[in-house]
Structures are given as C-alpha cells and as structure tokens.
Amino acid sequence: MPPSTTTVIDRARGAFLGLALGDALGATTEFMLPNEIRSEYGVHRKIIGGGWLNLKPGRVTDDTEMSLAMARAIVAAGGWDLVGIADNFVAWMKSRPVDIGSTCRKGIRNYLLNGVLENPVNDWDAGNGAVMRMVPVPLFTLGDEEQMANCLLAQAHLTHNHPFSDAACITTGKMLQAALLGADRFELHRFTQELIAEYPKFHFNDYRGAASGYVVETMQTVFHYLFTTATFEECLIGVVNQGGDADTTGAIAGMIAGAFYGLESLPSRWLRKIDKTVRREVDEIAGDLLRLSPWYREQVSG
C-alpha cells in the first residue's frame, strides 16, 4: 500500500532535519581520529558544539546552511532556479559563514566574478561538497527521476565537476526518493550496488574506517553505517565517531537515515539542541519543497 501524503511529508522533514542533526553532531568530532574521539568522549553521542570551530551547541555548519540556501531559491521560484541558487550561495559566502570548503568557495567566486554556472571537469573536484547540500533536490523532484538527476548535476557543477561526485549525488538522490516512498533496506542497498558496478572504488564491504572529505570515503562511511545499524541514532553515532569530515558524513547519513526511519526516529534530545531558528526553517521548508513535486501534485489532483 502506498504511503500517505502525510507520511511522505514527515519523511521529507525527517530527511532535512536529519541532515541538520548529523551536521551539528559531527561538527564536534570533525578532523579528529577515532582514537582521539574515544580518549576525549568515550563514544560521542551528544550535541555539545565545540570542535575545531569552537561552535555553540546546536550550531550547524556549511552542510545545512548551503542546503537551506538552495531550498530557499527553489521555493521562492516555485521550481528550479540555478541562478537563484548561485546568487544565494554568493550571499551566504559574503555573510562570513563559520566554515566554507575551498572547492565551494572557488566555484562560488567563479560565479560571482565571471558568471560561470558550470565549472569544467576537474580531477581535484572529487570532494563531498555537492552531496552534502543536495537534499532539497530529491524532495522537490519526487516523482520525476530524470528531473532530479539533471538538477543534481547542475547544482553540483556550480562547484564540483567530477564523475565520482556526480555518481554520489545521483545515488544519494535515488536512495532518498525511494526512502521517502517507503523502500526497504534491500531496495536502498540495490542502489549502492549499481553505483559500485559502475565505479568499483565505492565498494564498502571491507570498510577500513577512512572518513575524509574525498567523496568515495565519505560515501563508504555513510553506506557502512547505514547498513550495519538498526536505528537513526545508531547510524549517526557510528558515522561521527569515525571522525574525519564528520559534519558532512553525519549530514549525508542523516538525510538518508532520516528519510528511511522517519521523523519519529529523530532523537528528541538532539532536536531540542538544534538552533531553534534553523530547526523551524528546516522543518517548514522540507514540506514546502515536497509540495512542489510532481508526486505531490499527482496526489492532490488524484
């Protein structure tokens, strides 16, 4: 039986809020090694801020902030608006965010100075910055996989243009949309196998624990914990205790796990810690995005 409209909207909220929770939880352990985390925290499982950025508890970073910048542009336009997204990224960069990756900064500056909306393929663009911010796209394109793929690559190429980044975006998008509509764990795993068939470097059966900003290691970490844990909380705790680029691995794991396990799976003690303004906007805009989707329009008209 297909899920109700209310259920899918709640899963969309779970995905976007899951992103923010993973971001805030992982910011504490970003750039740490697993043994350093164990020495400092035992098992890191609380949103306490700190970390190399010395954040206040519940503060999010570029993962959530860029996702919101993209979401605002889509909602304001009532659909896809790459120029609006690029303009929002520029405004965000000028606001002096707490953190911004070098590849994202370079791409945004290229748009600001030269009007470039698609950077050329670059061997150095295999970072995770295009995947971390992409959650708005699967929400507003639900029901149209081709549109989702086109929009995912367009937003990616503003800053990152590399086959591994592209493939990670597409696979994550497919997993998110399937999870929104009630896919089981085996269906989600099938998407990872399709990715690995095309790009074997993404294989994660013998996961070695690397969790850097290299998109292959990022996705290996996310996939490993997504498929070896049984709850949203277990998944995120596992991911962020690997350290490395923990805010981003946490954010990506959070968006997929949030859609898969649902809104009710998000720990209330974590939600209470998130910056209230961010939490309110994320919660609301997730529903706004989904209501723009072909899937939602079909539900309403049907």
Side-chain angles (χ1 to χ4, degrees):
M1 181 177 175
S4 69
T5 303
T6 301
T7 296
V8 178
I9 290 176
D10 280 352
R11 287 177 182 158
R13 293 165 62 203
F16 217 141
L17 285 166
L19 156 78
L21 291 177
D23 181 8
L25 185 71
T28 304
T29 55
E30 188 179 13
F31 299 139
M32 296 180 73
L33 297 171
N35 62 344
E36 293 173 333
I37 297 168
R38 285 192 295 272
S39 175
E40 182 78 16
Y41 304 107
V43 176
H44 173 54
R45 58 174 72 245
K46 296 179 180 178
I47 293 180
I48 56 173
W52 76 281
L53 293 168
N54 195 29
L55 300 177
K56 293 180 179 179
R59 175 74 187 270
V60 295
T61 72
D62 50 345
D63 308 74
T64 306
E65 290 171 350
M66 292 191 81
S67 300
L68 280 170
M70 190 188 310
R72 291 178 195 128
I74 294 169
V75 170
W80 187 242
D81 180 8
L82 188 60
V83 171
I85 291 167
D87 286 341
N88 279 5
F89 285 173
V90 168
W92 169 75
M93 182 179 72
K94 287 183 174 181
S95 74
R96 298 189 176 182
V98 67
D99 189 26
I100 179 171
S102 59
T103 306
C104 287
R105 183 188 297 275
K106 181 185 69 174
I108 296 168
R109 282 183 56 80
N110 200 15
Y111 169 72
L112 172 64
L113 299 175
N114 304 305
V116 174
L117 286 167
E118 180 173 5
N119 287 281
V121 177
N122 188 331
D123 287 343
W124 298 99
D125 284 359
N128 55 23
V131 189
M132 72 181 191
R133 64 184 187 229
M134 55 155 277
V135 73
V137 175
L139 302 190
F140 101 92
T141 61
L142 185 64
D144 189 337
E145 192 172 299
E146 182 178 356
Q147 183 191 24
M148 178 185 71
N150 291 337
C151 294
L152 282 175
L153 297 185
Q155 69 84 25
H157 294 171
L158 281 168
T159 56
H160 294 68
N161 194 340
H162 190 283
F164 290 168
S165 169
D166 291 355
C169 283
I170 298 294
T171 298
T172 303
K174 289 178 178 179
M175 293 174 75
L176 273 166
Q177 289 199 339
L180 291 172
L181 297 177
D184 62 23
R185 193 179 297 268
F186 298 103
E187 291 177 79
L188 297 190
H189 194 268
R190 177 171 56 82
F191 293 119
T192 69
Q193 296 310 109
E194 291 173 358
L195 170 65
I196 292 164
E198 186 171 2
Y199 297 104
K201 280 185 177 289
F202 283 95
H203 72 92
F204 58 96
N205 286 344
D206 59 344
Y207 178 65
R208 306 271 176 94
S212 73
Y214 175 39
V215 72
V216 171
E217 293 183 353
T218 295
M219 299 313 298
Q220 287 171 330
T221 301
V222 170
F223 294 155
H224 173 75
Y225 285 102
L226 184 66
F227 295 114
T228 59
T229 56
T231 67
F232 175 89
E233 184 175 346
E234 286 179 6
C235 177
L236 262 65
I237 288 173
V239 165
V240 302
N241 277 275
Q242 286 301 130
D245 199 5
D247 61 330
T248 298
T249 54
I252 298 170
M255 67 174 84
I256 302 173
F260 179 67
Y261 290 110
L263 182 64
E264 67 281 358
S265 72
L266 276 53
S268 58
R269 70 183 190 283
W270 288 356
L271 286 169
R272 287 194 297 270
K273 285 289 186 180
I274 289 290
D275 178 278
K276 289 180 173 55
T277 302
V278 170
R279 177 182 172 183
R280 192 180 309 115
E281 183 179 11
V282 164
D283 198 20
E284 182 176 338
I285 211 162
D288 293 341
L289 289 163
L290 195 74
R291 282 185 281 271
L292 292 172
S293 71
W295 177 87
Y296 184 83
R297 291 197 299 270
E298 184 179 330
Q299 301 305 302
V300 172
S301 63

